[in-house]
Amino acid sequence: MFIRLNFEMEGNMGRKYDLLLSQHKQLYTNRLKLRQFSMEDRKDIFEFSSDEEATKYVTLQTNKSLDQVANSILNYYSKSGVYAIELKEEKKCIGCIDIRIDSDNNKASFGYILNKSYWNKGYMTEALDIILRLSFEVLKLNRVEANHYSENTASGKVMKKCNMKYEGRGIQEVFVKGRYYDVDHYAILKSDWDSLNNK
Ligand SMILES: CC(C)(COP(=O)(O)OP(=O)(O)OC[C@H]1O[C@@H](n2cnc3c(N)ncnc32)[C@H](O)[C@@H]1OP(=O)(O)O)[C@@H](O)C(=O)NCCC(=O)NCCS
């Protein structure tokens, strides 16, 4: 209580979120453990990050070697808010989900990618649901939002299944690798989350 008051008085919400994230480095769902990455995940990361199809719609670079993966671990995967998705049953890292906090606006966005061999089994819906729970019940954010290329329908399905609302489509919103893409926008508010969870 006192800590919270101090953070708010100093206007330093960013530090509050960093602290809370550092206290929630592991999250659990029925089938998954979300945890920090380590160098031991190199081969598993390579499986999804070297796959042209899996990386087609994400900003992550498509890795070509285990050395590149090691660099990505140092520069990206080890950052605060970036979670390895481990399948408990196999003790294998099958993907990544990250939360990107905008502390000025008390909101967050996220990104995700899963090893293609594990698509369409509900894993990312399960991972996103726990990230939303973290966002609203621990971080007490007001809004979580995300975008996906309109043609990447599986990503939109995951957002819908997690009760995010469609907010509209930006026609030819981004120019990537020589062509324009339409982008779909989704969001969920804390008030939506609370009423869905009977709070
Ligand atoms: C998007 C992604 C993370 C989804 O992960 P996942 O674990 O397969 O997702 P889920 O199984 O929880 O849900 C996927 C849903 O999309 C549906 N789906 C899959 N491919 C689809 C397609 N081509 N068209 C329409 N729906 C599709 C599935 O049927 C499922 O819906 P359902 O449960 O109603 O049947 C995964 O496909 C992926 O890693 N893609 C590459 C990276 C990426 O695009 N990231 C998002 C960038 S915005």
Side-chain angles (χ1 to χ4, degrees):
M1 181 63 172
F2 288 117
I3 293 176
R4 185 159 175 223
L5 272 176
N6 276 338
F7 277 125
E8 281 168 6
M9 279 162 61
E10 289 165 17
N12 199 342
M13 297 300 277
R15 273 181 55 213
K16 181 187 96 169
Y17 294 132
D18 285 345
L19 178 64
L20 287 169
L21 278 182
S22 73
Q23 292 166 341
H24 292 83
K25 288 184 174 170
Q26 295 188 352
L27 306 169
Y28 294 88
T29 70
N30 279 347
R31 296 176 295 172
L32 307 173
K33 173 179 176 182
L34 271 58
R35 56 157 175 82
Q36 305 296 285
F37 280 97
S38 79
M39 278 294 168
E40 286 171 22
D41 295 314
R42 271 199 313 167
K43 279 193 182 151
D44 289 342
I45 295 174
F46 186 71
E47 278 184 33
F48 60 80
S49 69
S50 63
D51 179 346
E52 300 276 356
E53 197 182 344
T55 53
K56 184 173 175 192
Y57 298 117
V58 297
T59 46
L60 286 175
Q61 66 168 11
T62 309
N63 282 312
K64 305 268 186 246
S65 69
L66 283 176
D67 282 347
Q68 271 188 0
V69 175
N71 270 329
S72 312
I73 292 175
L74 295 174
N75 296 324
Y76 166 69
Y77 290 102
S78 56
K79 285 190 176 166
S80 165
V82 181
Y83 290 89
I85 301 172
E86 181 181 305
L87 190 57
K88 285 186 204 166
E89 202 177 36
E90 296 181 19
K91 288 201 163 55
K92 179 182 171 65
C93 168
I94 59 167
C96 172
I97 185 163
D98 70 356
I99 174 167
R100 306 155 192 177
I101 297 174
D102 171 352
S103 51
D104 287 343
N105 296 300
N106 210 20
K107 67 179 183 175
S109 64
F110 58 82
Y112 45 48
I113 182 169
L114 199 73
N115 183 319
K116 198 164 55 192
S117 309
Y118 297 85
W119 287 5
N120 296 321
K121 298 177 194 301
Y123 289 131
M124 199 51 85
T125 302
E126 212 169 297
L128 178 56
D129 185 67
I130 195 76
I131 289 294
L132 294 178
R133 192 166 295 280
L134 171 77
S135 302
F136 294 125
E137 295 186 6
V138 176
L139 303 172
K140 311 280 185 200
L141 293 167
N142 180 54
R143 173 183 163 96
V144 177
E145 61 193 19
N147 304 330
H148 69 84
Y149 291 172
S150 306
E151 64 186 45
N152 188 9
T153 39
S155 185
K157 266 277 186 78
V158 172
M159 294 175 199
K160 259 185 240 153
K161 286 196 289 178
C162 287
N163 297 305
M164 296 182 72
K165 287 183 185 154
Y166 176 67
E167 292 192 330
R169 175 168 292 179
I171 304 298
Q172 299 192 7
E173 185 173 325
V174 293
F175 185 75
V176 182
K177 295 177 192 163
R179 59 164 282 206
Y180 291 103
Y181 288 88
D182 295 350
V183 175
D184 286 4
H185 297 253
Y186 280 83
I188 179 169
L189 299 180
K190 183 163 192 311
S191 51
D192 302 328
W193 176 268
D194 286 347
S195 46
L196 285 161
N197 290 280
N198 300 316
K199 289 191 175 158

